[in-house]
């Protein structure tokens, strides 16, 4: 079984500052994928970034980067230069590799960007 | 290109009624997933289709829930004898599919189901 833990129910960040959203995971799989999704108040889940367990480099997508520390089983999301439109729920998620991709989600972190 | 679409966006029904929720995946995506998201929670897996067949329905809570994908494209989630506890947002996602790879799942806007 896979488990995702997000310990920050809510976070505030000043506009233009960077923010780190924490995520730890637990799995017995050797190969897996880690994701972050953004869910604005409209409700749609928006894919942000993906990290494979065997990827040596941390994933980056524009202002998003994933700080992957395999030994610690953590996959923190870093958002640089926060914008007001970044205010949303953020979900960390994972899937097993080598098979179908049933996604296991964390409970989410609500990020609010302050002008 | 068009993303995943879901209809209706909102559904209000009475306890005991039958409802159908529809999902139209991204064209060419062979894998389709249904999730349920309760208030304040992350989405929870319900069922996964690869093509027309349900490859994993282990997340369906009970036999009142059923889903089909008869032609390998559009899927319908069916809930019989609805209960107030079924109230949630039902999310559909699709991906390219294919074992041995990690696909990114793309989500639809969801259907908000309210059972009175």
């Amino acid at each position: 079984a896979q488990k995702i833990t997000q310990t920050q129910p809510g976070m505030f960040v000043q506009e233009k500052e960077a923010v780190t959203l924490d995520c730890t995971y637990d799995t017995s799989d050797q190969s897996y994928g880690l994701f972050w999704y953004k869910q604005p108040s409209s409700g749609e889940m928006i894919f942000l970034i993906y990290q494979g367990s065997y990827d040596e480099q941390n994933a980056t997508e524009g202002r998003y980067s994933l700080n992957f520390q395999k030994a610690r089983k953590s996959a923190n999301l870093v958002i640089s230069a926060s914008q007001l439109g970044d205010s949303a729920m953020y979900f960390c998620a994972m899937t097993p590799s080598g098979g179908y991709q049933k996604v296991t989600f964390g409970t989410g972190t609500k990020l609010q960007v302050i002008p | 290109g068009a993303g995943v679409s879901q209809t209706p966006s909102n559904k209000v029904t009475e306890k005991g009624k039958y409802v159908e929720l529809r999902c139209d995946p991204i064209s060419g995506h062979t894998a389709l997933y249904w999730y349920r998201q309760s208030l304040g929670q992350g989405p929870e897996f319900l069922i996964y289709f690869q093509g027309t067949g349900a490859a994993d329905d282990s997340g369906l809570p009970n036999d009142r829930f059923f889903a089909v994908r008869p032609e390998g494209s559009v899927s319908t989630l069916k809930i019989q004898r609805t209960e107030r506890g079924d109230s949630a947002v039902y999310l559909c996602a699709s991906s390219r599919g294919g074992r041995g790879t990690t696909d990114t799942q793309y989500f639809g806007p969801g259907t908000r189901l309210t059972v009175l």
Side-chain angles (χ1 to χ4, degrees), chain A residues 31-33 35 37 39 41-47 50 89 91 95-108, chain B residues 4 33 35 37 40-45 48 55-56 58 89 91 95 97-110:
Chain A
S31 177
Y32 47 90
F35 299 81
Y37 284 87
Q39 189 176 44
S41 56
S42 61
E44 189 164 353
M45 297 287 282
I46 302 168
F47 165 73
Y50 162 77
M89 284 290 289
F91 290 96
T95 68
S97 293
Y100 71 90
Q101 277 81 46
K102 167 184 171 179
V103 180
T104 300
F105 286 86
T107 52
Chain B
V4 178
Y33 306 78
Y35 295 85
Q37 186 175 22
Q41 301 294 318
E44 293 180 314
F45 170 80
Y48 154 69
D56 182 354
S58 63
V89 175
L91 294 167
S95 69
R99 299 182 72 84
T101 63
T102 299
D103 285 332
T104 296
Q105 295 184 19
Y106 296 92
F107 283 78

Side-chain angles (χ1 to χ4, degrees), chain A residues 10-51:
Chain A
M11 291 277 289
F12 289 92
V13 64
Q14 201 76 37
E15 193 178 7
K16 300 180 185 177
E17 297 292 313
V19 63
T20 298
L21 306 184
D22 294 342
C23 172
T24 58
Y25 61 91
D26 192 20
T27 181
S28 56
D29 294 315
Q30 294 300 309
S31 177
Y32 47 90
L34 295 156
F35 299 81
W36 278 90
Y37 284 87
K38 172 184 178 181
Q39 189 176 44
S41 56
S42 61
E44 189 164 353
M45 297 287 282
I46 302 168
F47 165 73
L48 295 178
I49 195 167
Y50 162 77
Q51 177 86 42

Side-chain angles (χ1 to χ4, degrees), chain B residues 72-91:
Chain B
S73 179
V74 171
S75 176
T76 304
L77 178 66
K78 308 180 180 192
I79 310 174
Q80 299 177 321
R81 304 183 304 280
T82 51
E83 299 177 357
R84 293 194 179 89
D86 299 335
S87 297
V89 175
Y90 289 81
L91 294 167

